[in-house]
C-alpha cells in the first residue's frame, strides 16, 4: 500500500509539473482555423473536389502548426523578476513591477498572471508583446487583511509568430510583503511639528492647562496665570515673561488588546481588532511623542505577545512589528489572565488602556475583582466599540410582537452596558463605549485630559 501511494504521488507530481511548466495548448486562432475547415470542405464537396480541398487545407494547417510549435521560444529563453515593496498599509493600493527578459531573439506575445494571496485584490492577466531583450511593466493591487504574505509564482503563457499554439509555464519568484494597519493617523501626527494634534480632521489637543515639569520661558499673554510670571526674566528682557510648565514626562502607558472571538466581528469592512489596533498604535505614537513610555500586551485565551515599556519613536516600530500580524482567535478571551500577567510584569504605576468588547466585560465574572484590585496601583481605562446593530434594534418601530421582543432585548442589553459603566465609574475606573469612527479621537482626548489633570 505504501509503495502504491508513493508511485501514485510521483505520477501526480509529474503531471502537475508537466501542466505547470511544459504544457502546450492550442490558441483560439488555431481552433477557429480548424472550424473553418468544415465550410471549406462542404464547398469542396459541392464542387466535387471535396477530398482534395479537405486534405489540402488540413495539410497546410498541420504544417503551419508544426512550424509554429517548433518556433515557440523555449522556457529557458525567458525569465521574470518581480519587484515588490517590503511593506504596505491595509487597504492602500501599491504597485508591483515585473522585469521580463527575452533571450530568444524574436518578439514574444505574452499573458502573465501573478499568484496573489487570497486577501489581495486580483489584478487580472497582463498582456503585451516583448519586442526588446528587457521589458518592464507594472500593475496595482492592495491587501485587505493585515499580516505577512508570500508571493510565490508567476504564471505566463506565450506564443510564437503564427500564434497557433501557446506554451505555459510558471516561474518561481518567492517574495514576502508585510501588510500593516492603517497608519495614516500615526504618520499625520508624527509629521506635524505643531503643539496641536489633528486626528480625522479634528483638533484634539489643547495647550496644557497645568503641569509640574518646567518646560520653557516665553512671553506673557493675557490668558496666562499671573502667578507664573518670571520676574527675573521680565526684568532682564524689559517685558513680561512667564514660566511654561508641562505634565511630567516618563509616565507608563500600558495598552492591552483583546484578540478573542468577538474582536473578529466586522464593522464597516474592518474587524473590531483592526479598529482597536489602529487606535492603539496612534495612542502609542502620541504617548511616545509626549515623552512617556509605552508597553503593549495582546491576549486571547492566552498571552500572545508582550512588549515591555520603552520610550522614543524607535519603540513605536517595535510595537508595530509585534502587532501588525495579530489575528483574532476563535476562542473566548480571558482578560482576567491578561490582567494577572500584567500585574506580575508591571510593578510601576501606569495608565492601563484595555481595548476589548463590552460583551466580554459583562460575561467575565472575575474581571471586576481583578479591576478593583489593580485600580489601587494603576489607572484603568476600558474601551469598547459601540454595536451599531444593537442601537438600530433598540429604535425600531414595533409593528408586530416579534419586533417588540427584539426591541425589548436590545434595550435591555443597552441598559446592562450602561449599568456596567456606572458600576466601574463608581469604583474609579473609566469605561468608554464609543462608535468605531470615534474610537481614536476619544482615546487620545482621554489620555491628554488625564495628562493635563496630572491624574496619573
Amino acid at each position: 500500500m505504501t509503495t502504491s501511494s508513493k508511485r501514485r504521488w510521483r505520477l501526480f507530481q509529474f503531471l502537475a509539473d508537466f501542466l505547470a511548466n511544459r504544457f502546450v495548448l492550442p490558441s483560439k486562432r488555431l481552433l477557429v482555423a480548424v472550424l473553418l475547415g468544415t465550410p471549406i470542405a462542404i464547398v469542396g464537396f459541392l464542387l466535387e473536389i471535396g477530398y482534395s480541398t479537405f486534405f489540402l487545407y488540413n495539410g497546410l494547417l498541420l504544417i503551419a502548426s508544426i512550424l509554429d510549435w517548433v518556433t515557440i521560444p523555449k522556457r529557458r529563453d525567458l525569465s521574470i523578476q518581480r519587484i515588490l515593496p517590503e511593506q504596505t498599509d491595509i487597504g492602500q493600493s501599491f504597485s508591483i513591477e515585473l522585469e521580463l527578459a527575452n533571450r530568444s531573439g524574436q518578439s514574444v506575445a505574452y499573458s502573465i498572471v501573478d499568484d496573489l494571496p487570497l486577501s489581495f485584490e486580483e489584478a487580472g492577466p497582463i498582456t503585451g508583446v516583448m519586442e526588446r531583450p528587457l521589458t518592464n511593466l507594472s500593475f496595482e493591487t492592495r491587501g485587505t487583511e493585515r499580516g505577512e504574505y508570500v508571493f510565490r509564482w508567476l504564471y505566463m503563457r506565450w506564443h510564437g509568430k503564427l500564434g497557433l499554439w501557446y506554451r505555459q509555464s510558471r516561474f518561481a519568484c518567492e517574495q514576502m510583503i508585510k501588510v500593516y494597519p492603517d497608519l495614516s493617523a500615526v504618520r499625520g501626527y508624527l509629521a506635524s511639528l505643531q503643539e496641536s494634534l489633528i486626528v480625522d480632521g479634528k483638533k484634539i489637543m489643547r495647550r496644557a492647562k497645568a503641569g509640574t515639569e518646567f518646560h520653557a520661558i516665553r512671553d506673557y499673554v493675557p490668558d496666562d496665570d499671573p502667578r507664573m510670571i518670571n520676574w527675573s526674566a521680565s526684568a532682564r528682557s524689559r517685558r513680561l515673561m512667564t514660566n511654561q510648565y508641562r505634565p511630567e514626562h516618563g509616565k507608563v502607558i500600558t495598552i492591552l488588546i483583546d484578540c478573542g472571538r468577538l474582536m473578529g466581528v466586522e464593522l464597516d469592512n474592518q474587524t473590531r481588532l483592526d479598529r482597536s489596533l489602529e487606535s492603539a498604535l496612534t495612542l502609542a505614537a502620541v504617548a511616545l511623542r509626549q515623552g512617556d513610555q509605552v508597553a503593549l500586551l495582546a491576549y486571547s485565551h492566552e498571552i500572545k505577545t508582550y512588549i515591555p515599556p520603552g520610550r522614543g519613536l524607535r519603540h513605536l516600530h517595535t510595537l508595530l512589528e509585534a502587532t501588525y500580524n495579530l489575528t483574532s482567535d476563535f476562542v473566548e478571551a480571558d482578560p482576567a489572565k491578561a490582567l494577572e500577567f500584567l500585574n506580575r510584569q508591571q510593578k510601576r504605576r501606569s495608565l492601563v488602556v484595555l481595548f476589548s468588547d463590552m460583551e466580554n466585560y459583562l460575561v467575565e465574572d472575575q474581571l471586576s475583582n481583578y479591576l478593583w484590585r489593580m485600580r489601587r496601583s494603576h489607572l484603568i481605562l476600558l474601551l469598547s466599540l459601540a454595536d451599531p446593530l444593537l442601537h438600530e434594534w433598540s429604535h425600531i418601530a414595533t409593528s408586530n410582537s416579534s419586533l417588540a421582543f427584539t426591541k425589548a432585548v436590545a434595550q435591555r442589553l443597552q441598559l446592562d452596558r450602561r449599568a456596567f459603566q456606572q458600576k466601574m465609574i463608581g469604583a474609579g475606573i473609566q469605561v468608554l463605549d464609543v462608535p468605531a469612527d470615534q474610537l481614536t479621537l476619544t482615546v487620545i482626548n482621554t489620555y491628554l485630559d488625564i495628562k493635563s489633570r496630572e491624574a496619573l
Side-chain angles (χ1 to χ4, degrees), residues 292-320:
D292 292 331
Q293 302 181 54
V294 177
L296 188 141
L297 172 66
Y299 70 94
S300 56
H301 64 295
E302 60 184 5
I303 306 301
K304 303 191 72 169
T305 183
Y306 173 69
I307 307 299
R311 66 175 74 243
L313 295 181
R314 181 176 298 179
H315 187 62
L316 179 63
H317 180 74
T318 303
L319 298 175
L320 179 61

Side-chain angles (χ1 to χ4, degrees), residues 142-161:
R142 63 188 182 94
T144 57
E145 296 181 10
R146 292 177 295 101
E148 189 174 81
Y149 298 93
V150 177
F151 287 60
R152 299 188 183 278
W153 303 99
L154 283 165
Y155 295 91
M156 179 172 164
R157 285 182 180 177
W158 67 95
H159 60 77
K161 296 180 180 180

Side-chain angles (χ1 to χ4, degrees), residues 322-357:
T323 58
Y324 77 93
N325 57 353
L326 284 178
T327 57
S328 56
D329 300 330
F330 293 100
V331 294
E332 299 298 332
D334 189 355
K337 179 181 292 186
L339 292 174
E340 183 180 1
F341 177 85
L342 178 64
N343 198 32
R344 295 195 304 267
Q345 297 291 328
Q346 184 59 265
K347 300 300 182 180
R348 182 180 174 184
R349 178 175 174 82
S350 67
L351 170 62
V352 178
V353 183
L354 174 57
F355 291 86
S356 185
D357 185 80

Side-chain angles (χ1 to χ4, degrees), residues 201-234:
K202 300 177 182 178
K203 185 176 179 180
I204 65 173
M205 179 182 177
R206 300 182 300 272
R207 187 177 58 191
K209 296 180 179 179
T212 58
E213 183 178 294
F214 176 77
H215 178 54
I217 300 176
R218 58 173 175 79
D219 291 336
Y220 177 84
V221 294
D223 292 336
D224 288 335
D225 188 346
R227 295 173 296 178
M228 299 300 175
I229 295 177
N230 189 320
W231 296 107
S232 299
S234 300

Side-chain angles (χ1 to χ4, degrees), residues 10 33 69 71 83 94 145 204 225 246 258 288 317 335 339 358 361 366 441 446:
R10 289 176 181 175
W69 187 314
T71 58
I83 300 177
F94 64 95
E145 296 181 10
I204 65 173
D225 188 346
R246 62 184 178 186
D258 181 358
L288 292 171
H317 180 74
L339 292 174
M358 185 64 73
Y361 300 148
Q366 299 180 358
L441 185 69
T446 305

